[in-house]
């Protein structure tokens, strides 16, 4: 999971452009037109530079392996799937510019990627205007539902619905919520309060701090004074590391305290593994899943990218997500409007679930969720929740 945070300040982005066919690295001609019978071509917009480049690289790598798997089996319509990778450096203005460039110059069939919520929203506006489907792999909850936007990441409701009851039962009914101060953590907190109350608990503290916070001691002192049994954290980015380390240092984050949220994501394991190992975390996909497809992906990812840490969940979402898209394209053909129509009703079996599909009311993927145990070897499945529905309507669908 990569929370879709929106920063108050933008980074200066490089307009770096990478053209590749499959995973071979050969240049793609910009003259191809999928709608005119050429190969299916996808524009991939990710931050490969800037403060969230590591997550962008993970998404790109999972995507590339997914396309390579489909191409090895014959591609789509007997032709290898092509893709163009561009670097938006996490800047929504650049994301907008690149999305238009990919559609108008590279004639892509679809768009895939981005990491943050503001860049996703920027690309979604372009995709909707151009009637080009856009797929994301980050945690869901877009600002609004759009006809041409589809997300393979789990929604907040899907994250919290199975975990809050377990945390309350195991640790106690007093819940504290902490987050970075922008729109998504507030949404997360609202649903956390809803599920906490529904299961007999009470939210005893709620704290937010601006992005870039370095001294968390006053926040931690207030949270500690509330005597919570469970702490739900949507502090993100580098702040997640600083907050979690200081929460342990100042006695809030003990082994007894229930702890769930963004800092437990596999992306943070290299920095926070010492204090998250042994805990469990809600996931859609984890590198410790035992099914053959997940094992093969994990082995391929580690071998190709010389990866030893837990594999970021966004890489798995991208890998299995692009296979969903390409299986739909095998039925619809490469016309973007036809592909978008097919995605709306398509069902696909993968480690993300049997018959995974998008809810018409909100374009959220209806898929399985699991509880992963965090270990130095990876995120192994401790419990399977099965399909976790989120069919709450959103405007725009």
């Amino acid at each position: 999971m990569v929370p879709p945070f929106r920063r108050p300040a933008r980074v200066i982005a490089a307009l770096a452009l990478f053209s590749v066919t499959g995973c071979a690295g050969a240049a793609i001609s910009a003259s191809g037109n999928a709608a005119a019978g050429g190969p299916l071509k996808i524009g991939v917009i990710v931050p490969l530079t800037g403060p969230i480049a590591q997550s962008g690289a993970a998404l790109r790598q999972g995507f590339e392996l997914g396309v390579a798997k489909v191409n090895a089996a014959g591609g789509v319509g007997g032709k290898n799937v092509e893709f163009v990778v561009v670097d938006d450096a996490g800047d929504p203005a650049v994301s907008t510019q690149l999305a238009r460039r990919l559609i108008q110059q590279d004639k892509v069939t679809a768009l895939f990627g981005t990491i943050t919520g503001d860049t996703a929203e920027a690309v979604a506006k372009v995709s909707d205007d151009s009637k080009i489907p856009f797929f994301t792999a980050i945690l869901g909850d877009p600002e609004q539902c759009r006809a041409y936007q589809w997300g393979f990441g789990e929604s907040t409701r899907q994250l919290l619905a199975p975990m809050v009851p377990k945390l309350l039962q195991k640790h106690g009914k007093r819940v504290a919520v902490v987050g970075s101060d922008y729109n998504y953590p507030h949404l997360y907190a609202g649903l956390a309060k809803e599920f906490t109350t529904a299961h007999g608990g009470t939210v005893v503290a709620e704290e937010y701090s601006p992005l870039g916070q370095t001294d968390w001691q006053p926040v931690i002192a207030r949270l500690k004074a509330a005597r919570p049994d469970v702490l739900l954290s949507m502090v993100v980015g580098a702040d997640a590391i600083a907050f979690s380390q200081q929460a342990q240092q100042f006695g809030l984050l003990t082994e007894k305290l229930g702890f769930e949220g963004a800092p437990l994501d596999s992306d943070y394991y290299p920095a926070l593994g010492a204090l998250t190992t042994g805990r469990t975390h809600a996931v859609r996909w984890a590198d410790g899943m035992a099914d053959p497809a997940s094992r093969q992906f994990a082995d391929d990812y580690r071998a190709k990218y010389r990866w030893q840490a837990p594999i970021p969940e966004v890489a798995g979402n991208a890998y299995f997500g692009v296979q969903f898209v390409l299986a739909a394209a095998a039925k619809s053909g490469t016309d973007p409007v036809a592909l978008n129509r097919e995605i709306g009703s398509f069902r696909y079996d993968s480690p993300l679930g049997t018959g995974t599909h998008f809810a018409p009311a909100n374009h959220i993927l209806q898929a399985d969720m699991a509880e992963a145990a965090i270990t130095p070897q990876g995120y192994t499945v401790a419990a399977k929740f099965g399909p976790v529905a989120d069919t709450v309507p959103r405007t725009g669908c």
Side-chain angles (χ1 to χ4, degrees), residues 1 3-4 139-141 154-161 163-164 167 175-180 182-196 203 206-208 230-236 259-265 281-282:
M1 170 182 64
L139 185 150
D141 299 303
E154 57 276 51
S155 74
T156 310
R157 191 172 295 274
Q158 290 169 326
L159 284 171
L160 292 172
M163 286 301 290
V164 168
L167 289 165
V175 176
V177 184
V178 61
S180 300
Y182 63 93
N183 58 347
Y184 180 69
H186 287 272
L187 169 64
Y188 179 91
L191 284 173
K193 287 186 280 190
E194 176 185 322
F195 286 113
T196 296
V203 173
E206 189 174 347
E207 290 283 342
Y208 301 96
V230 174
L231 177 64
L232 301 176
S233 172
M234 196 46 67
V235 180
V236 302
F259 187 38
E260 172 64 310
L264 282 80
D265 290 351
H281 182 43

Side-chain angles (χ1 to χ4, degrees), residues 40-386:
L40 188 148
K41 186 186 293 186
I42 302 175
V44 186
I45 303 173
V46 285
L48 298 175
T49 55
I52 49 173
Q54 183 174 344
S55 295
L59 189 154
R60 177 190 180 178
Q61 288 162 185
F63 173 91
E64 288 179 344
L65 287 175
V67 172
K69 181 176 177 61
V70 172
N71 283 345
V76 172
K79 299 176 182 178
N80 273 1
V81 176
E82 300 178 351
F83 59 90
V84 182
V85 180
V86 293
D87 174 19
D88 68 358
D91 187 325
V94 176
S95 304
T96 299
Q97 184 178 354
L98 291 175
R100 290 174 178 157
R101 177 178 176 176
L102 289 165
I103 293 168
Q104 295 168 5
Q105 296 184 22
D106 292 281
K107 308 298 184 184
V108 297
T109 307
L111 297 168
F112 199 106
T114 81
I115 289 296
T116 65
D118 48 4
T119 57
E121 177 65 13
V123 175
K125 290 177 182 176
V126 177
S127 73
D128 238 32
D129 290 344
S130 305
K131 293 183 168 53
I132 297 289
F134 168 47
F135 306 97
T136 67
I138 58 174
L139 185 150
D141 299 303
E143 286 188 348
Q144 67 179 82
C145 185
R146 293 184 180 274
Y148 282 80
Q149 182 179 10
W150 312 87
F152 290 99
E154 57 276 51
S155 74
T156 310
R157 191 172 295 274
Q158 290 169 326
L159 284 171
L160 292 172
M163 286 301 290
V164 168
K166 293 194 71 168
L167 289 165
L168 297 183
Q169 183 178 16
K170 181 177 180 180
H171 298 280
K173 304 290 189 179
R174 298 172 61 84
V175 176
V177 184
V178 61
S180 300
D181 196 8
Y182 63 93
N183 58 347
Y184 180 69
H186 287 272
L187 169 64
Y188 179 91
L191 284 173
K193 287 186 280 190
E194 176 185 322
F195 286 113
T196 296
T197 301
H199 291 89
T202 303
V203 173
V204 296
E206 189 174 347
E207 290 283 342
Y208 301 96
S209 289
L211 289 164
Q213 181 89 334
T214 56
D215 180 11
W216 287 90
Q217 190 171 0
V219 171
I220 291 167
R222 291 193 294 272
L223 290 170
K224 190 175 178 182
R227 297 181 293 107
D229 303 310
V230 174
L231 177 64
L232 301 176
S233 172
M234 196 46 67
V235 180
V236 302
D239 296 8
I241 297 170
F243 167 76
S244 301
Q245 290 174 340
Q246 291 177 38
Q248 184 183 53
Q249 177 186 353
F250 296 116
L252 171 64
L253 190 54
T254 65
E255 291 184 5
K256 182 180 177 182
L257 183 73
F259 187 38
E260 172 64 310
L264 282 80
D265 290 351
S266 53
D267 306 63
Y268 297 109
Y269 187 85
L272 296 179
L275 60 88
T276 60
T277 293
R279 294 186 180 273
T280 62
H281 182 43
V283 297
R284 170 149 292 160
W285 179 85
D287 60 3
M289 286 183 168
D291 63 276
S294 291
R295 288 204 306 270
Q296 186 63 60
F297 168 58
D299 289 346
D300 291 346
Y301 193 97
R302 294 187 189 285
K304 183 174 180 62
Y305 303 112
R306 299 181 180 179
W307 195 265
Q308 296 181 340
I311 297 172
E313 186 184 351
V314 70
N317 284 349
Y319 176 79
F320 293 110
V322 73
Q323 291 179 62
F324 180 114
V325 171
L326 298 180
K331 292 187 64 178
S332 70
T334 58
D335 175 69
V337 175
L339 173 58
N340 196 72
R341 187 183 308 116
E342 182 65 34
I343 289 290
S345 60
F346 194 65
R347 291 177 178 263
Y348 185 67
D349 297 343
S350 77
L352 305 186
T354 300
T356 57
H357 62 281
F358 287 97
N362 57 24
H363 289 194
I364 289 174
L365 189 70
Q366 308 301 295
D368 291 353
M369 293 294 294
E371 183 180 17
I374 302 173
T375 77
Q377 291 72 42
Y379 282 47
T380 61
V381 175
K384 293 182 178 181
F385 299 126

